Amino acid sequence: MAIIGPVRLSRITVFAIYIVALGLTSLYGMLVLFDLDVTTLKSSKLATGTNTCAYTCKEARGDSAQIRLLERSTEPIAYVVGSSHGAKVVLPGQCVCVRAVVPAQSFDTETINQADMEEYEPVPGWPADSLIVDLVMQSSQNNAGTHDPLYLNARVTVSVDMRAVARNQNYNTRVYEGSAQLFDPGEYALDARIEFRNGQWNAEPGQFTPELHETHMRTTLVTNALVQSTVHVERDLKHPTYLQRHQNLPLCTDGAASGRWIPEKNLPASWKQWQYMHPAEDRRVWVPYHCRLRRISHAEFVFHMSRSWPSVHWYGDSNSRRTLRPIVQAGQWCHTNNSMRLDCLCNDAPKDLFPSEWYAHMPVLHWYRIHTQGVRRDEIYADLRLKEQPPTDPRPILDKDPIDNHTTYGPDYMPPGYRLRDDYFDLYYLFTRGTLDMQGRHWMRDITQEAIAPYPNADLVVFQMITWDVAFGSYSTFARSVELLARRLRNVYPHAQFVYRTGPYWCCRNAEDQQKKYSRLRFASFDAHARAVFRRVLSARIWDVSGPSSQRPPEAKRNPENMPCLSAHSRSEFVHLDNQIFINMLVNK
C-alpha cells in the first residue's frame, strides 16, 4: 500500500511556478496599463443574457484625472470610458462603460419658467437629471475595410441606462455612469441628450408639468483627446449572436429577451417569413440576441392555450384592450381594406373592435371565448355560462406550417392543418386603472373571490398597469399599493400562473394633456418597482413591451409619424410585435 507523504518540489519546479505566477500578475498589470477591464474578459464567453456588465464601470480604469477636469466643465459631456485617441475596440459580448458629467444649471431671470420655480424630487434611487443615452452603429466596416452587408445602414442602437455615482463634491456637478454589452460588429457613436434637469421628470400630482426640451450633450473635446465617444466591435463570424448564425439559437421562452432592430432587406436570404417578426413601419425587424422568435399563427396560439391555459383572466387598461383586439379577431387588427388609415393604425375604441354590425353596447365586463377563427358572433354578448362548452378538438394536426417562400405570413395567416379545427380558450377581461380608484373601478373592489366566481377558474392571470398611475398617481402611494395588489392577486388566485405586462416605452415627446405626468423615467421607475414586486410575490413571468421600443434608432424614436397614437398607445405594427413576444413566451418549449 502506497503512503503519501509531504510533497517536495525541486528548485526548478519552484522556479517554474514563480515564473507562471509572475506572468499572470504581469498580464493583469498589462490590462490595467492599457485600460482594459478584467470584466471584458469574463463577458467574452458565450453570452447568456444575464447582467454581465454589472461591474464594468466599477472596474474601469485610467480616467480619474479626466474626471477631475471634467467636473469643472461648464457644459454637459458624455463619453466612453477607456477610449484613448480613437475608438475603443471590444469583442462581441464585451461591455463598455459610458460616463456623463452634468454641471450645475444656471438660470437667466429673463427666461426662467414656472417649472424652474418649483422643487421636484426624483423617485428614490433614480437620477435627478433625465439623460437619454444611446450607442448607435454608424458603420458596419470591419477590420479588412469592407462593410458587412448584414449590418449595412442598420443603425443598431443600444440604450444605456445611466445612474448617479458619488464623486468629488468640491464641484457642483453630477456624474452619471452606465454600461452596455455590445454584440453586433461595427463602429458605434454616442448619442446623448438631456431631457429634464433637477428632478423635473417626476412631476407629482398638484405640481406643474414641465415641457420636454431635449439638449444635446457634447461627446468629444478638442482640448482632451482622451474624451472619445466611439466604440468599435470586431467581427466574429463564430459568435452565436452574429446575425448569420441567428437561426441556430433556441426559440424564445423569455418575454423580456434583449435584441436589436435590423433592416428587413439585410436579413439572410435563406430566412423564411415565418422565421422573423413582422417589420415595423420603417421596415426594421426586431431580432433578439440570445434566442429566436417565430411568427406563430393565431390558430396555433389557440391550440396551445386550449391545452395549457384554457382559462385566462386579464386585467389592464386601454393598452391591454389594444393587445386583445387582434386576439379576438383571429390575428387581424383592422377589418377595413386600408390598413394604413390612421384609425386602423391607432383607433381601437369599442365601436371599432368589431365590424359595425357586431357592435351594440359592449358591456364593461368582457368574457370572450377565443376560437381558432376568433370570437364567434353569437357568443359576443351571450352569457357563456348558458352555452354548451365544446370538447377539445381531438383531431391530429397534419400540416402545422408549410416551409416555403411563397406564402405571406401575415398576422391573420392560418396554417392549413388548423383551418378545420375548433380549439378555444376562455378569456375574462376587466378594464382597470392600475392602482388608482377612478371612474368607478378599483382593484380592491374588483379583484375578489366573489367578483370572479361566475367565470372559469383561471389557469393564467395577465396583469398590465403603470399608464394611469404614471399619469395621475403619486409614486409613494403607488409603491405601497402594488405590494397590497400583488398579495391580493395571490390570495384570489392561489393556483394560477402570472404574467406581468410592462408599461409602454415613453420617449421624446410631451403628453397631449398637461394633466398627465408622462415622462420616460417616470414610466421606467414605476415599472421597475412593479416588476420587482410581481416577481417576488407572484413569481410572475415578465412580458416586456418597452424593451424593443427603447432600442430603436434615435431618429425613429423622435419621428412624429411613428407615434401618431395618443395616450401612450403604440401603432398597430408594434401591437403585433408585442403579441408575438407574448405568444412565443407561452407556446415555445
Side-chain angles (χ1 to χ4, degrees), residues 389-410:
Q389 285 187 285
T392 301
D393 197 322
R395 290 173 291 181
I397 298 171
L398 302 179
D399 191 359
K400 290 183 61 177
D401 236 335
I403 311 295
D404 59 57
N405 264 334
H406 306 290
T407 303
T408 300
Y409 290 83

Side-chain angles (χ1 to χ4, degrees), residues 93-115:
Q94 292 183 339
C95 304
V96 296
C97 177
V98 176
R99 184 168 290 136
V101 179
V102 182
Q105 189 175 18
S106 59
F107 295 101
D108 185 343
T109 56
E110 296 182 359
T111 60
I112 194 169
N113 57 45
Q114 183 176 345

Side-chain angles (χ1 to χ4, degrees), residues 294-488:
R294 62 186 181 96
R295 297 191 197 185
I296 299 176
S297 68
H298 172 81
E300 185 181 351
F301 170 56
V302 173
F303 168 76
H304 283 279
M305 294 298 291
S306 68
R307 281 152 177 75
S308 300
W309 295 282
S311 177
V312 180
H313 289 199
W314 194 304
Y315 299 90
D317 55 33
S318 56
N319 285 286
S320 282
R321 186 183 66 218
R322 296 165 66 77
T323 294
L324 294 175
R325 177 172 176 167
I327 290 178
V328 301
Q329 295 192 136
Q332 286 186 308
W333 169 266
C334 193
H335 57 265
T336 66
N337 293 328
N338 186 359
S339 62
M340 293 306 294
R341 277 174 32 191
L342 186 60
D343 60 346
C344 274
L345 292 175
C346 294
N347 192 5
D348 71 309
K351 68 179 185 302
D352 296 312
L353 189 60
F354 302 102
S356 57
E357 67 270 18
W358 287 25
Y359 178 74
H361 295 295
M362 189 76 69
V364 174
L365 298 177
H366 308 295
W367 182 7
Y368 301 119
R369 183 156 289 163
I370 314 294
H371 294 267
T372 301
Q373 304 287 348
V375 175
R376 293 177 177 172
R377 297 189 180 201
D378 63 340
E379 292 180 347
I380 293 178
Y381 312 112
D383 186 343
L384 296 182
R385 290 172 294 182
L386 304 179
K387 295 186 71 67
E388 180 182 357
Q389 285 187 285
T392 301
D393 197 322
R395 290 173 291 181
I397 298 171
L398 302 179
D399 191 359
K400 290 183 61 177
D401 236 335
I403 311 295
D404 59 57
N405 264 334
H406 306 290
T407 303
T408 300
Y409 290 83
D412 58 347
Y413 169 71
M414 179 75 71
Y418 291 93
R419 288 175 185 164
L420 300 178
R421 297 187 61 82
D422 185 24
D423 300 306
Y424 76 93
F425 69 96
D426 284 336
L427 188 146
Y428 159 65
Y429 165 57
L430 178 65
F431 191 97
T432 60
R433 293 177 173 83
T435 67
L436 301 180
D437 188 351
M438 296 182 68
Q439 302 178 23
R441 315 291 330 168
H442 190 223
W443 64 268
M444 294 191 75
R445 296 188 296 271
D446 297 331
I447 304 177
T448 64
Q449 293 284 4
E450 294 74 21
I452 67 170
Y455 308 101
N457 292 332
D459 304 292
L460 180 71
V461 177
V462 180
F463 206 98
Q464 175 263 320
M465 55 194 309
I466 299 300
T467 311
W468 284 78
D469 290 283
V470 169
F472 303 110
S474 161
Y475 178 82
S476 58
T477 302
F478 168 79
R480 293 191 298 269
S481 299
V482 168
E483 187 80 28
L484 298 175
L485 168 61
R487 293 177 185 174
R488 171 67 65 84

Side-chain angles (χ1 to χ4, degrees), residues 87-331:
K88 183 179 178 71
V89 179
V90 299
L91 298 175
Q94 292 183 339
C95 304
V96 296
C97 177
V98 176
R99 184 168 290 136
V101 179
V102 182
Q105 189 175 18
S106 59
F107 295 101
D108 185 343
T109 56
E110 296 182 359
T111 60
I112 194 169
N113 57 45
Q114 183 176 345
D116 297 329
M117 295 185 289
E118 290 202 34
E119 290 188 9
Y120 297 86
E121 292 291 335
V123 170
W126 289 76
D129 302 311
S130 177
L131 312 181
I132 181 166
V133 179
D134 294 319
L135 281 165
V136 186
M137 183 185 290
Q138 306 296 310
S139 169
S140 61
Q141 188 171 349
N142 55 38
N143 299 337
T146 59
H147 289 273
D148 191 328
L150 295 175
Y151 299 95
L152 187 64
N153 300 320
R155 301 277 292 168
V156 170
T157 298
V158 180
S159 181
V160 185
D161 293 328
M162 306 298 285
R163 63 185 184 279
V165 295
R167 288 289 178 183
N168 191 340
Q169 300 301 316
N170 295 331
Y171 304 100
N172 192 14
T173 61
R174 297 188 180 111
V175 180
Y176 300 95
E177 289 179 344
S179 56
Q181 191 173 19
L182 302 177
F183 295 99
D184 295 313
E187 185 160 306
Y188 296 74
L190 272 181
D191 183 291
R193 315 184 193 199
I194 298 178
E195 296 180 304
F196 295 98
R197 298 292 306 273
N198 303 319
Q200 291 183 1
W201 59 267
N202 187 36
E204 290 273 90
Q207 288 188 300
F208 174 77
T209 306
E211 289 193 6
L212 172 69
H213 296 288
E214 285 190 334
T215 303
H216 280 271
M217 302 176 67
R218 288 186 67 98
T219 54
T220 58
L221 283 179
V222 176
T223 57
N224 192 337
L226 295 180
V227 177
Q228 296 290 335
S229 62
T230 54
V231 181
H232 185 84
V233 181
E234 294 186 348
R235 185 169 67 167
D236 181 355
L237 300 180
K238 296 182 179 180
H239 199 277
T241 62
Y242 185 64
L243 197 59
Q244 189 69 53
R245 299 176 59 86
H246 180 75
Q247 297 301 333
N248 296 331
L249 295 173
L251 291 171
C252 291
T253 57
D254 180 1
S258 60
R260 75 292 217 186
W261 291 93
I262 300 292
E264 186 179 23
K265 63 183 180 181
N266 289 19
L267 299 179
S270 60
W271 290 19
K272 310 296 191 297
Q273 271 194 358
W274 63 270
Q275 291 181 302
Y276 61 89
M277 291 295 93
H278 308 283
E281 80 291 332
D282 60 359
R283 306 309 299 176
R284 281 183 165 87
V285 175
W286 177 248
V287 183
Y289 286 118
H290 309 296
C291 62
R292 54 189 172 93
L293 295 166
R294 62 186 181 96
R295 297 191 197 185
I296 299 176
S297 68
H298 172 81
E300 185 181 351
F301 170 56
V302 173
F303 168 76
H304 283 279
M305 294 298 291
S306 68
R307 281 152 177 75
S308 300
W309 295 282
S311 177
V312 180
H313 289 199
W314 194 304
Y315 299 90
D317 55 33
S318 56
N319 285 286
S320 282
R321 186 183 66 218
R322 296 165 66 77
T323 294
L324 294 175
R325 177 172 176 167
I327 290 178
V328 301
Q329 295 192 136

